Amino acid sequence: MATVVGERVPPLSPGDTLSREEFLRRWEAHPEIKKAELLGGIVYMPSPVTVVHGDTEGNVGGWLCVYMAATPGTASGHNTTSFLLDDTPQPDINLRILPDYGGTSWTEGKYLHGVPEHLSEICRSSASYDLHFKLDLYQTAKVREYLAVLLYEQEIRWHVLVNGQYQLLDPDSDGIWRSPVFPGLWLDGKALLSGNMQQVLAVLQRGIETPEHESFVAELASRKTARSRA
């Protein structure tokens, strides 16, 4: 009797050169792999995450989650595999407008397609590929905001797309960054870097209580209504 041997799918390895289809085939065959990215046809797999990286990612995610909860028509997620141009990044955190509210990204199958309005990455340092290869990718794909938190330098870099190119957003005189894409999304960068989440969320709440945020929520609702009538 012939023996049928099931196909063995090799795991992903850093430096592999793969198509997106083969990348996903190998990843889905190995659920033990939690984070991998395909950038320029090359597989990237980050080293184990440190406590400070994990804590900072959790804090940024919490900040964006509170904003999302106060802003109907938005969504946020961690480490979501995304189809962005020809690449398959897995940004640390995203904040996006839902498609029914005029957003430019959507869910198809198990993955995120299109272009989220905001991406955040926690970077080891300015030498990280998050601030080189991935920054170029996000700019080319026209991600409207890209927030990079640099752990070594203890620095916030908030990139905003202006005429197709990223420009760094400056904080105001009080040291508060204010998103031009998501009104009311305010960030006390010094408090975030020091882990003072009470202050981070207090500043965010001030942003959420502004007339600009109220108008943005109303605008999103009107987009939803217009689409439902179309």
Side-chain angles (χ1 to χ4, degrees):
M1 179 182 297
T3 300
V4 177
V5 179
E7 180 186 12
R8 296 183 61 192
V9 179
L12 293 170
S13 296
D16 284 348
T17 301
L18 302 173
S19 66
R20 176 181 281 167
E21 292 74 17
E22 180 63 13
F23 170 78
L24 293 174
R25 186 179 81 95
R26 294 189 183 196
W27 195 1
E28 291 175 352
H30 291 273
E32 73 277 7
I33 297 174
K34 302 303 179 185
K35 182 156 187 174
E37 301 178 288
L38 186 70
L39 304 173
I42 298 173
V43 175
Y44 290 81
M45 298 175 69
S47 58
V49 174
T50 63
V51 171
V52 67
H53 185 290
D55 287 355
T56 305
E57 181 180 327
N59 289 343
V60 173
W63 166 67
L64 291 176
C65 185
V66 170
Y67 181 84
M68 174 198 68
T71 314
T74 65
S76 182
H78 286 246
N79 295 301
T80 303
T81 297
S82 304
F83 285 17
L84 202 58
L85 300 180
D86 293 327
D87 289 325
T88 316
Q90 192 177 355
D92 287 334
I93 313 111
N94 69 68
L95 176 66
R96 59 194 193 274
I97 299 172
L98 293 170
D100 286 349
Y101 294 80
T104 53
S105 63
W106 63 93
T107 301
E108 189 174 317
K110 297 186 290 185
Y111 303 112
L112 188 64
H113 292 247
V115 183
E117 286 75 16
H118 175 107
L119 295 177
S120 292
E121 298 277 10
I122 314 305
C123 312
R124 291 187 296 276
S125 76
S126 60
S128 168
Y129 75 112
D130 292 328
L131 285 168
H132 296 276
F133 198 102
K134 290 177 77 173
L135 185 147
D136 290 343
L137 169 62
Y138 296 160
Q139 178 176 266
T140 301
K142 295 183 170 50
V143 176
R144 296 174 65 187
E145 290 188 345
Y146 173 36
L147 174 67
V149 181
L150 282 63
L151 298 179
Y152 180 78
E153 291 88 350
Q154 287 288 282
E155 183 181 344
I156 300 293
R157 294 188 187 177
W158 195 318
H159 306 82
V160 178
L161 198 68
V162 178
N163 296 324
Q165 299 291 320
Y166 275 144
Q167 294 184 6
L168 286 176
L169 180 69
D170 292 324
D172 64 17
S173 58
D174 294 326
I176 306 303
W177 276 264
R178 305 179 186 219
S179 168
V181 176
F182 290 94
L185 183 61
W186 291 9
L187 176 64
D188 185 328
K190 184 177 180 180
L192 177 70
L193 291 168
S194 67
N196 184 353
M197 285 303 292
Q198 287 183 324
Q199 174 66 9
V200 169
L201 296 181
V203 168
L204 174 60
Q205 188 59 39
R206 284 167 44 200
I208 289 171
E209 292 172 355
T210 59
E212 291 79 10
H213 180 260
E214 183 179 1
S215 296
F216 182 54
V217 171
E219 179 188 341
L220 291 175
S222 68
R223 293 182 193 175
K224 171 72 169 178
T225 300
R227 285 174 178 265
S228 65
R229 290 174 176 172

